[in-house]
Amino acid sequence: MQKYMMKLHENILLLWIFIVHEVSTDQHLVDYIAEHVTVKVHVVDNTALIDGYVQEYVSLSNTGSMDISNGDWKIYHNSLYGKRDEELHCGLRNHHALGGLYYLTPNGDKFKTFKAGETLVCIIHNRYSLAARSDYMPNWYVTSNDAEPKTVVSTMGEGINYVEDFDSYLRWKHGKTDQYKPYSPEERYDMYKMYDSPKYNPYKIVPTPWSVTSNRRVVMTFNIEEWMIVYSDAFKFESTYLADILGIAIHTSRASNKYIQFVKTNDSNLGPESYNLNIDAALENIEILANENPGAFYGVQTLVSLIEGCNGEMIAMNIMDKPRFLYRGIMIDTARNFKPVKWILKMIDAMSMYKLNKLHFHLTDDEGWRIQIPSIPELTEIGSKRCHSEIDGVCLPPQLGSGPHNTTLGTGFYSVDEYKTILKYADDRHVEVIPEIETPGHSSAAITAMNYRESKISRLESIGEQNLPPSYLLEMSMERNMTSSPLKWPRNAIDPCLNTSYKFISKVLDALIDIHKDVQPLKTVHVGGDEVPDGAWDESQACKENDIHLSTKQQQKSFMKQVADIASSKGLDIGVWDDGVYAEDKPDSKEDYKSENVYVYPWDTRGDKIKHTAEFADAGYKVVLSLATYLYFGHTQGPDPEERGLYWATRYTDTQKVFGLMPDDLYANVLEDNVGNTIDINTFCDGKICPILENPGNIIGLEASMFSENMRTEEEFYYMGFPRIVAMAEKSWHKASWEDINDVIERNKERDIQWKEFSDNLGFKELSRLDKRNISYRLPPPGVRLEENVLKVNTKYPNLLIEASNDIGKSWETYTESKIQAGSYSYLLRTKSRTGDIYSRSVEFKFAVSSSMTSSWSWSTSLIILTVISLLNLL
Ligand SMILES: *[C@@H]1O[C@H](CO)[C@@H](O)[C@H](O)[C@H]1NC(C)=O
Ligand SMILES: *[C@@H]1O[C@H](CO)[C@@H](O)[C@H](O)[C@H]1NC(C)=O
Ligand SMILES: *[C@@H]1O[C@H](CO)[C@@H](O)[C@H](O)[C@H]1NC(C)=O
Ligand SMILES: *[C@@H]1O[C@H](CO)[C@@H](O)[C@H](O)[C@H]1NC(C)=O
Ligand SMILES: *[C@@H]1O[C@H](CO)[C@@H](O)[C@H](O)[C@H]1NC(C)=O
């Protein structure tokens, strides 16, 4: 017996040594590749499609001293639009895992040892242009069997420095017909000329009030020591909020003759969001009159803006104000990249500053499920996490550069309490939260979580458990051949033929109603409806069993109808993306959907889809303009490969373009296609004139969409939002006088004058107000030009600093124009906020000054590089 035990121990020891040895070999390999294999990529030519794909060179260099032999190692990487699952000439294979996740791995015998010092050059095929650095994702990672995955060092961080410079038009063009090219520093300098001689109007308010009268000759000083606020019982929150923001004393009665007081009115001319702000500079008191709390709150915001701008010197003013649109919203996507509670609260504060009142909260998508549903715990147990796992039921696969671990913003959710914190914060500030649960498409996270729940139920069943938890199975297709599927997410559409799909939706809506009820009762739920891939349910077992053979569009229509039934039976209105209720070549009948109000969010305005907006309004839907061409703030703010953002709907959308939106004249906004080619609207809708909007009253507002594929960090999130959101708020609160001018040339002239006032105000006032609240934003890079031996610089917005570096960004100094000595120079230049640590990206400017003659050139425009140092400053 003793001897036998000895033997057993020995064997276990041997086995243990064997396992440890094996694991450590794999781990050693993973660690080695992560550290010593460096990645470099560049697109070959965005203007030439090969079999419909854009080719990209991926070079892997083995920079260490170890040869890498054939084996089970894999190098994972993410793609925004998808790549081809294919054998590569370099001896590797590029496999599609799921969604945007791919991995490179030795291709059987075709792989020869990857020797120390060697570089493998592979050509990969992309489904879309790669014309911007932010199209590429960071945090590639390596695995081998069950070794701990490691991030490839050369791909870490937000700099995306593994992508080579965009130094030719082949790399920065979005297709052959792209009309844009990046602006050179000189071109910027010339464009910014129109911003010369800025004017500061300290009493300008954004968004512009409906009516302002002022008398600059009646002036009073305003300082927080001498003034007080009279607490208002009717406007409890508003009066204390004002005291907090200004840091001013609040008393229950008038304790000084310099006071701000609230008056609750019952004036049938004032709507719930209207107010009257009266600044009596002679008597030295201020009154905010409103019928209801939202009005008082907006009066407070106007007053705060005036006080922050006026530098202690206030003039007599009377402001009567009311909004242009009832719906002034921001959609925040927390699924692609999670947004912690404190970012959301900060965004609500920013929304409040600019009188925005709807937070459309995109809580679910393929890449994540972000709200706790206590009755269905798997949704967050699995659906809120992204990590690399070899076993099911742990997390969703890494996406969008979230890397192998569950510690990034690929992972996260709002607990019921956290969500209530957001709700309360929003409700106090008169922001309605509209949660979005994406159905039936964009549901991979929920489907994965419910498949896992199903497997748990089956296990319980197999051991004879009687009380089985309810099933919420959402998808039950035949196994699909992933290799042959062109879809990024081959199984991401909730199955309309499964009864459990509807039980799931009902359960989730119950939970949302319950969470909202004590804080801000739920009125509207957004149920998604967009982008169901054609053929999504062709393999559905449930549809086969129930003998349902409808087109994808018809299936979806029947699904949306049932979802609307469920929602309306619970007293809810629904919101849907436009393609969710457009099954045929016209909007579905509004009567098909039982909810009293159906809010439609037209987003896809490419091609003649622009006409959908008018069609929906005329079919009785309430329309919230979410036009991807103007209001998708995941899109880039300039036609430059170094500018963060997407460009599928439009080549770029900057603040100026948002300011130019004309919500009442939909077709006037259609000027060019997504690569800048002019569009003739008269022949645009199937070659005919587009349908005229008969029911403008059904256009109820605007919404900026913050789809967050490329917003991993807080700075990236705010960089994409601001100052575009300020312009969007302006459009949704105020109808500009220029919008009503019929003559296009006159209209544009007047628009440009008003834009100039708006942008002067951004530079003098609003950006500092954002700085004060620690909200980042984008600053445009400076314009630069050498003129008569002086390096002339300018900025788009006034009141900013310019910094220069002559040591490739190691050190920076504030730049002031002066004569430059003879010599040749290489400068980096960037714009900086005067009141905060916000910088533009830097631009390179190389020039030479000779004693006899002046010459100037900037290296190819595409040499505008983002240096590591300026990045560190931006991030
Ligand atoms: C407000 O005025 C209306 C008539 O204009 C009146 O019926 C109503 O009672 C008033 N409400 C309050 C609270 O005074
Ligand atoms: C994250 O992963 C680690 C192991 O890799 C695990 O121990 C931890 O529980 C996970 N955290 C969450 C929130 O799932
Ligand atoms: C999957 O599709 C690919 C490409 O069409 C094909 O080569 C492969 O044989 C298929 N695999 C299976 C299991 O059907
Ligand atoms: C689904 O519901 C329908 C109608 O209520 C019923 O006829 C059918 O049997 C149900 N199917 C399953 C699989 O429970
Ligand atoms: C400002 O925000 C940044 C992140 O964007 C954060 O790191 C910093 O601590 C904040 N500063 C203050 C004063 O809140």
Side-chain angles (χ1 to χ4, degrees):
M1 189 64 186
Q2 187 82 15
K3 200 164 174 193
Y4 174 75
M5 286 294 284
M6 280 284 288
K7 192 80 190 155
L8 190 65
H9 275 137
E10 263 170 37
N11 280 343
I12 287 172
L13 190 67
L14 273 176
L15 188 67
W16 184 78
I17 288 169
F18 178 74
I19 289 169
V20 167
H21 179 72
E22 276 298 289
V23 167
S24 70
T25 304
D26 276 321
Q27 193 64 57
H28 185 65
L29 179 65
V30 165
D31 293 352
Y32 177 85
I33 294 177
E35 189 164 341
H36 296 290
V37 172
T38 56
V39 176
K40 277 277 166 209
V41 310
H42 71 261
V43 69
V44 179
D45 184 352
N46 277 316
T47 71
L49 297 182
I50 311 289
D51 305 334
Y53 290 89
V54 163
Q55 292 187 330
E56 169 196 20
Y57 274 107
V58 175
S59 323
L60 304 172
S61 300
N62 183 350
T63 65
S65 56
M66 189 174 112
D67 293 345
I68 301 168
S69 46
N70 210 332
D72 287 331
W73 52 270
K74 296 171 180 166
I75 300 179
Y76 283 84
H77 55 109
N78 288 120
S79 162
L80 205 45
Y81 299 103
K83 298 177 189 275
R84 192 152 78 183
D85 188 310
E86 61 185 337
E87 289 187 18
L88 309 172
H89 290 294
C90 60
L92 300 176
R93 213 197 137 86
N94 193 28
H95 273 283
H96 185 204
L98 190 63
L101 186 65
Y102 291 78
Y103 60 89
L104 297 164
T105 195
N107 186 20
D109 296 345
K110 303 209 174 107
F111 178 86
K112 307 284 176 259
T113 302
F114 182 13
K115 296 224 174 62
E118 195 187 347
T119 294
L120 295 182
V121 179
C122 317
I123 295 177
I124 289 184
H125 292 82
N126 286 282
R127 292 221 178 88
Y128 207 71
S129 291
L130 291 165
R133 193 173 295 275
S134 65
D135 285 345
Y136 297 83
M137 301 291 152
N139 304 321
W140 296 34
Y141 65 91
V142 196
T143 67
S144 180
N145 296 313
D146 48 6
E148 172 72 16
K150 285 281 162 70
T151 308
V152 176
V153 172
S154 63
T155 65
M156 281 178 169
E158 292 299 314
I160 321 288
N161 296 314
Y162 71 89
V163 178
E164 291 179 26
D165 287 344
F166 290 79
D167 56 4
S168 102
Y169 76 97
L170 300 176
R171 295 191 187 172
W172 47 249
K173 262 192 184 292
H174 172 33
K176 257 203 184 74
T177 59
D178 188 352
Q179 298 299 308
Y180 283 102
K181 64 183 190 59
Y183 297 115
S184 70
E186 287 98 337
E187 284 168 329
R188 269 202 196 88
Y189 185 83
D190 296 343
M191 284 189 320
Y192 294 170
K193 279 279 191 197
M194 76 167 270
Y195 298 95
D196 281 355
S197 52
K199 287 198 198 67
Y200 182 31
N201 171 3
Y203 307 107
K204 184 168 165 66
I205 298 144
V206 176
T208 307
W210 183 65
S211 136
V212 179
T213 52
S214 63
N215 186 345
R216 284 191 186 235
R217 275 166 309 189
V218 189
V219 182
M220 67 178 177
T221 56
F222 183 95
N223 60 54
I224 57 171
E225 292 79 24
E226 285 176 7
W227 280 69
M228 60 150 298
I229 292 166
V230 186
Y231 172 80
S232 164
D233 244 340
F235 303 125
K236 285 192 187 70
F237 179 79
E238 289 72 21
S239 54
T240 48
Y241 174 95
L242 179 63
D244 280 352
I245 275 207
L246 296 179
I248 208 170
I250 182 161
H251 297 284
T252 43
S253 61
R254 250 184 250 167
S256 133
N257 59 357
K258 298 183 176 183
Y259 62 87
I260 303 169
Q261 76 174 7
F262 290 79
V263 178
K264 186 170 171 69
T265 49
N266 184 25
D267 178 346
S268 56
N269 293 319
L270 292 185
E273 297 189 309
S274 310
Y275 66 91
N276 173 203
L277 171 67
N278 189 44
I279 299 175
D280 190 329
L283 290 178
E284 298 193 302
N285 63 55
I286 297 173
E287 268 184 356
I288 296 172
L289 300 89
N291 283 2
E292 293 184 31
N293 296 61
F297 187 69
Y298 297 139
V300 162
Q301 294 301 344
T302 296
L303 181 58
V304 169
S305 166
L306 285 170
I307 289 172
E308 287 183 346
C310 79
N311 202 17
E313 195 166 282
M314 190 67 93
I315 55 168
M317 291 182 97
N318 189 287
I319 297 173
M320 303 285 292
D321 205 2
K322 59 179 182 184
R324 174 186 198 172
F325 289 118
L326 293 179
Y327 191 114
R328 307 178 300 279
I330 305 229
M331 191 236 43
I332 300 180
D333 166 14
T334 59
R336 273 53 180 274
N337 285 295
F338 183 63
K339 309 278 172 291
V341 174
K342 64 180 200 313
W343 301 15
I344 303 290
L345 302 187
K346 204 155 134 179
M347 183 57 99
I348 292 171
D349 280 330
M351 290 172 67
S352 304
M353 281 170 80
Y354 298 109
K355 306 187 174 93
L356 299 173
N357 67 350
K358 307 284 175 188
L359 170 57
H360 168 179
F361 217 177
H362 188 80
L363 293 164
T364 75
D365 212 302
D366 294 321
E367 294 89 348
W369 181 285
R370 306 303 186 186
I371 177 155
Q372 181 185 16
I373 302 294
S375 50
I376 318 181
E378 296 83 2
L379 284 171
T380 41
E381 272 172 23
I382 295 171
S384 76
K385 296 177 195 162
R386 293 208 298 259
C387 70
H388 180 84
S389 172
E390 298 287 341
I391 41 174
D392 286 346
V394 176
C395 52
L396 308 176
Q399 298 292 326
L400 301 164
S402 59
H405 304 299
N406 60 13
T407 48
T408 68
L409 292 172
T411 296
F413 68 93
Y414 309 111
S415 69
V416 167
D417 284 345
E418 285 168 331
Y419 185 84
K420 282 185 177 173
T421 301
I422 293 170
L423 265 188
K424 174 81 173 89
Y425 201 83
D427 195 61
D428 283 344
R429 288 155 185 78
H430 311 295
V431 172
E432 179 188 353
V433 177
I434 301 171
E436 176 177 357
I437 304 297
E438 268 272 20
T439 69
H442 284 277
S443 294
S444 185
I447 288 170
T448 305
M450 291 307 93
N451 280 344
Y452 175 69
R453 182 184 170 95
E454 202 64 16
S455 70
K456 280 202 314 197
I457 295 172
S458 304
R459 235 175 296 133
L460 290 174
E461 202 172 11
S462 71
I463 58 168
E465 177 67 45
Q466 297 297 312
N467 279 332
L468 294 175
S471 160
Y472 297 117
L473 194 63
L474 301 177
E475 209 265 0
M476 199 175 48
S477 295
M478 262 71 95
E479 264 321 306
R480 244 175 243 185
N481 183 349
M482 296 282 284
T483 311
S484 64
S485 168
L487 295 175
K488 202 173 151 188
W489 299 94
R491 309 168 75 161
N492 75 341
I494 295 176
D495 193 329
C497 299
L498 279 171
N499 293 0
T500 42
S501 296
Y502 304 100
K503 288 189 185 142
F504 172 83
I505 286 160
S506 178
K507 200 75 185 172
V508 169
L509 294 190
D510 286 345
L512 289 176
I513 289 168
D514 192 52
I515 298 169
H516 272 251
K517 86 171 174 276
D518 296 333
V519 195
Q520 184 183 68
L522 187 63
K523 288 190 303 205
T524 304
V525 61
H526 197 296
V527 294
D530 59 320
E531 296 189 305
V532 176
D534 200 32
W537 301 300
D538 290 356
E539 307 291 319
S540 159
Q541 261 173 13
C543 295
K544 283 210 171 83
E545 280 163 19
N546 290 302
D547 222 16
I548 297 171
H549 307 282
L550 295 172
S551 71
T552 308
K553 283 274 179 205
Q554 287 304 325
Q555 293 260 56
Q556 173 166 4
K557 184 170 169 179
S558 122
F559 175 89
M560 298 310 290
K561 256 174 153 159
Q562 293 195 57
V563 170
D565 283 356
I566 296 168
S568 75
S569 74
K570 299 177 196 295
L572 299 178
D573 285 338
I574 59 167
V576 284
W577 298 109
D578 58 2
D579 40 334
V581 285
Y582 202 95
E584 315 288 341
D585 53 359
K586 59 179 189 312
D588 301 345
S589 162
K590 162 76 180 55
E591 310 314 316
D592 288 349
Y593 302 101
K594 273 210 196 115
S595 305
E596 186 182 338
N597 291 302
V598 178
Y599 298 92
V600 174
Y601 295 66
W603 60 276
D604 191 352
T605 45
R606 290 170 295 176
D608 69 357
K609 288 182 183 155
I610 186 69
K611 70 179 183 193
H612 291 193
T613 306
E615 290 176 339
F616 278 119
D618 293 343
Y621 293 95
K622 300 272 181 255
V623 176
V624 178
L625 301 180
S626 316
L627 320 174
T629 39
Y630 280 80
L631 296 171
Y632 263 36
F633 291 170
H635 274 58
T636 161
Q637 303 179 65
D640 190 302
E642 300 298 351
E643 196 59 56
R644 174 168 294 279
L646 313 176
Y647 42 80
W648 53 259
T650 175
R651 198 63 183 86
Y652 71 99
T653 295
D654 61 7
T655 306
Q656 186 173 358
K657 182 174 163 193
V658 178
F659 182 85
L661 176 66
M662 289 187 274
D664 292 352
D665 189 354
L666 297 169
Y667 302 119
N669 302 305
V670 185
L671 302 169
E672 57 181 46
D673 68 10
N674 69 338
V675 286
N677 296 298
T678 308
I679 287 174
D680 177 8
I681 191 66
N682 294 315
T683 57
F684 197 49
C685 294
D686 300 326
K688 294 183 226 115
I689 291 180
C690 300
I692 290 162
L693 173 65
E694 308 282 353
N695 274 304
N698 277 343
I699 309 269
I700 60 160
L702 307 183
E703 179 168 280
S705 287
M706 302 285 292
F707 277 115
S708 70
E709 288 95 334
N710 52 27
M711 304 177 200
R712 280 176 295 272
T713 67
E714 181 168 8
E715 285 75 9
E716 287 165 5
F717 177 53
Y718 289 105
Y719 181 92
M720 299 309 276
F722 293 94
R724 290 189 285 197
I725 285 173
V726 184
M728 176 268 171
E730 171 69 16
K731 298 314 298 184
S732 46
W733 183 271
H734 178 73
K735 178 164 184 178
S737 54
W738 61 262
E739 287 185 53
D740 278 335
I741 302 174
N742 282 327
D743 182 82
V744 178
I745 293 168
E746 280 304 306
R747 185 211 290 157
N748 291 348
K749 212 169 107 194
E750 186 56 30
R751 178 197 62 198
D752 292 347
I753 291 169
Q754 294 185 21
W755 158 249
K756 170 87 166 45
E757 283 169 18
F758 185 88
S759 85
D760 283 353
N761 183 62
L762 278 180
F764 282 118
K765 186 168 162 184
E766 299 309 324
L767 299 183
S768 303
R769 299 183 71 212
L770 293 172
D771 283 336
K772 196 170 168 184
R773 290 157 177 84
N774 197 24
I775 293 171
S776 342
Y777 47 84
R778 170 180 188 263
L779 282 180
V784 191
R785 189 182 265 296
L786 189 68
E787 275 177 4
E788 294 171 359
N789 291 359
V790 176
L791 195 60
K792 310 276 280 178
V793 291
N794 60 6
T795 56
K796 180 156 181 168
Y797 308 131
N799 194 33
L800 298 168
L801 301 172
I802 290 176
E803 292 190 336
S805 166
N806 59 11
D807 54 9
I808 55 169
K810 289 198 196 75
S811 61
W812 293 88
E813 274 177 49
T814 304
Y815 176 80
T816 40
E817 289 176 1
S818 58
K819 278 241 183 298
I820 293 196
Q821 300 297 308
S824 29
Y825 299 87
S826 167
Y827 276 14
L828 289 178
L829 294 112
R830 67 185 184 188
T831 315
K832 180 188 182 300
S833 155
R834 213 169 266 279
T835 49
D837 285 329
I838 307 289
Y839 303 86
S840 72
R841 60 193 165 79
S842 47
V843 294
E844 187 175 54
F845 195 75
K846 295 193 179 203
F847 61 100
V849 175
S850 65
S851 36
S852 55
M853 170 190 103
T854 304
S855 74
S856 132
W857 73 91
S858 78
W859 283 13
S860 152
T861 47
S862 45
L863 268 175
I864 298 166
I865 60 163
L866 195 60
T867 66
V868 177
I869 296 293
S870 68
L871 258 174
L872 285 177
N873 280 316
L874 272 170
L875 300 177

